[in-house]
Each structure stands twice: as structure tokens, then as C-alpha cells.
Amino acid sequence: MKRPNDPSAPSDAAFNWYPGHMAKALREIKKRLPFVDVILEIRDARVPLASGNSNFDETIGNKPKLLVFNKANLVDAATVKTWEAWFLSEGIPHVFLNCFDRPSIAKAVALARAIVEDHRKACNPEQPSQVEKLQLMIIGLPNTGKSTIINVLSKKNATKVADKPGQTLLQQWIQVPELGIALFDTPGVMPPKITKAVHALYLSSIHAIPDDISDEQDTAVFIVKHLLARKVPKFFERYKLALDEADVDEALVKIATVRGCLRQKGVPDLDRVHKLILADFRKGELGQTCLELPPLSKKPS
């Protein structure tokens, strides 16, 4: 992947990462639809639109769906409110939450239940709409927190969690009797093609795309440019940067010095710096920020 600021790079360069198991997972999702009441599509709150997948909408059709924006704790509250207002204006059911906060996840389940009951009322007003046992399907891109949400809800390590895209390869039901729900877990599924280079950087930043598939340098430089431009305080504090710092290359050298990422004779080890920045950003150590802002008028894919 070329840097977006490289004049030789096209502004809308396609990027593809679509292993065979993802195509199979999409087919399995379609087969299981008759057995679920509602879809929970998990996205990353730092990239609310780019962490979606238009193939999901094509696959699930008219099945009720709730967009769940995980890692909202890594985004500043004002930006979360801006996004909430945008999705509300578009009439899209949604919730922003932190996957490690069980009460907020339980509220998402309650909202999903209400969506199903409203859907049943609209389809057949004469029939009871109350849902005794809610069957939810969890879908989303890799590394958006699907497995963690399931584990927090079920209070056990029901699914394998790792900071590695594509960890969940099997589909399985997880029962949560105390909440009256059953969760169907699915592998993370990427869009077959990412047409905009900046979207590939978004998804590499949140680790939906593996580092060995994208480019750690490009992604780390993109993150630093963003945090410098937005003047995110915690970023400057963590790496002891001057508040008027604006040059990316100078910032990388200073980070190498501050964090001891040096080779012999004090030469900056930029490979280590890039890995450090990626790890810190993904853990939320560099402050609250959002890589995307709402469009003026366009429904999300």
C-alpha cells in the first residue's frame, strides 16, 4: 500500500483481502438467517462507515438489524454525539458502546429485542409480538470485538479472542439463559474489495486488516498525521511531543528517542516505532479520536 500523500499513488486505489473462509462464512450466514430474529452488526466506533460491509445488507435482506458501534470509549464524547445524530437522521437503529461494559451491552440486547417486537407488530398486528427467547446473529469485520461482546454477555470464554484479524473461523451458538438469548457467532468478513486507499488505512489502523497484508509504516504514518492534525492531547503527552509539533518525520524521530527505539549510535529504529504506534493506538493509549466524520447526506453501506 502506498502512502496517501505519495503523489504517484492514485487517490482511489483498490485493496483486496478476502480469504476463502470469508466467502464461505457469508454463505453460512445466509443459510442460518431463518433461525435468527435479529442481526447485530458490530463495527468500530473510530471508523463507523468504513468498518461496515455492503455485502452484509445484500445477504441479510429484510432481517431486522442493529448497528453496534464498539470501542466508543476510544472516541471523544462530542464526536460520538455527532455520529448518533447522523444515524438518527438516517433512521438507522444503532448503539454506541464499550464491549467491556456488560450493562451497556445488555442495553443493546434490550434494544435488539424491541426492534424485533416492533418488526413483528408491523408484519402481523394480530399475532403476539413478545419475544421469549431472542436469537441474535453477530456479524462484522475482523477484530471489531464480536467475540469479546459474546464472552462478556455469556460471562465465560465462549469464543477465542485474540488481537489478530480472522481469529474466529467457526460458527457456533452460545446460550445465555439468564438474558433469554442465544447468540450465533460468525467469523469476521471483509468486503471483497476496498476501493478507497484511505479506507484501507482506516481498517489497517483498527487492525481489521493484518499488518503483514497491509503496511505497518503507511498505517503508522497515517495515524501520526491524524493525531498531530487533531491535536489529541494524550498523544502529545505519551510521547512527550511539543504541542506545536506538526512534522510527521520529526515526530517519529522524537518518539524513537523518548521510547528508546534506537539502534547503534542512536540511530532511530523506525520499524520499532511504527509497531509501537500501532499497538498504542489500537489499545487506546494515544487518546480519544475518530478517523471518520459523518457525510453530509449519504446512507452507510
Side-chain angles (χ1 to χ4, degrees):
M1 187 193 305
K2 293 184 178 181
R3 293 193 191 184
N5 58 350
D6 182 345
S8 67
S11 60
D12 286 342
F15 179 89
N16 301 321
W17 178 57
Y18 197 64
H21 77 268
M22 292 187 180
K24 179 181 178 182
L26 206 58
R27 293 193 296 269
E28 287 296 317
I29 287 172
K30 190 169 186 176
K31 284 171 57 177
R32 298 282 183 172
L33 284 176
F35 307 104
V36 301
D37 299 307
V38 61
I39 305 293
L40 265 58
E41 182 185 341
I42 315 301
R43 298 189 184 185
D44 191 304
R46 293 168 293 180
V47 281
L49 299 187
S51 57
N53 185 342
S54 60
N55 278 3
F56 288 147
D57 287 337
E58 296 171 8
T59 299
I60 67 177
N62 294 324
K63 183 70 66 174
K65 184 177 78 169
L66 173 66
L67 292 185
V68 177
F69 295 99
N70 185 25
K71 307 182 185 181
N73 55 306
L74 303 183
V75 181
D76 61 280
T79 303
V80 170
K81 288 182 179 179
T82 299
W83 272 110
E84 286 178 326
W86 186 82
F87 282 108
L88 184 63
S89 71
E90 296 290 301
I92 298 169
H94 66 279
V95 61
F96 283 76
L97 53 75
N98 171 8
C99 65
F100 293 104
D101 179 34
R102 195 168 190 270
S104 66
I105 298 178
K107 288 181 181 178
V109 171
L111 179 56
R113 189 184 298 274
I115 289 172
V116 172
E117 292 178 350
D118 288 345
H119 181 75
R120 289 184 178 182
K121 285 179 184 177
C123 292
N124 194 340
E126 304 300 324
Q127 295 295 324
S129 60
Q130 186 173 359
V131 180
E132 293 185 5
K133 184 176 182 180
L134 189 66
Q135 309 268 83
L136 303 102
M137 178 183 284
I138 311 294
I139 64 174
L141 270 59
N143 233 12
T144 50
K146 301 183 301 298
S147 295
T148 301
I149 286 174
I150 290 173
N151 290 343
V152 170
L153 276 173
S154 61
K155 294 183 178 179
K156 60 183 179 181
N157 293 325
T159 64
K160 191 172 183 179
V161 177
D163 183 22
K164 180 181 179 182
Q167 184 62 54
T168 302
L169 298 180
L170 300 175
Q171 299 183 349
Q172 56 181 322
W173 281 104
I174 297 96
Q175 304 293 330
V176 189
E178 65 183 272
L179 295 178
I181 63 174
L183 302 161
F184 188 65
D185 187 27
T186 64
V189 179
M190 291 289 293
K193 180 179 287 188
I194 300 168
T195 58
K196 292 183 179 293
V198 69
H199 288 176
L201 288 168
Y202 288 161
L203 298 181
S204 297
S205 297
I206 66 169
H207 212 192
I209 299 173
D211 292 329
D212 59 346
I213 300 297
S214 56
D215 186 295
E216 289 180 321
Q217 175 182 344
D218 289 352
T219 308
V221 167
F222 171 76
I223 290 171
V224 170
K225 286 184 66 176
H226 171 83
L227 296 174
L228 286 174
R230 298 295 174 87
K231 300 292 183 184
V232 179
K234 193 171 180 180
F235 168 67
F236 288 85
E237 294 167 6
R238 185 170 181 83
Y239 296 143
K240 297 180 172 56
L241 299 173
L243 291 178
D244 60 351
E245 181 65 69
D247 185 273
V248 175
D249 292 330
E250 289 182 9
L252 291 171
V253 171
K254 290 178 182 177
I255 293 170
T257 303
V258 168
R259 299 307 296 269
C261 298
L262 302 171
R263 296 193 176 101
Q264 291 183 349
K265 298 182 180 180
V267 175
D269 187 341
L270 294 181
D271 288 340
R272 285 175 60 195
V273 172
H274 298 149
K275 292 180 185 296
L276 172 69
I277 290 165
L278 293 178
D280 282 353
F281 178 79
R282 291 162 182 168
K283 290 185 293 185
E285 300 289 352
L286 303 184
Q288 295 177 317
T289 190
C290 188
L291 300 178
E292 281 188 304
L293 293 176
L296 293 177
S297 60
K298 182 181 177 182
K299 288 197 173 184
S301 57

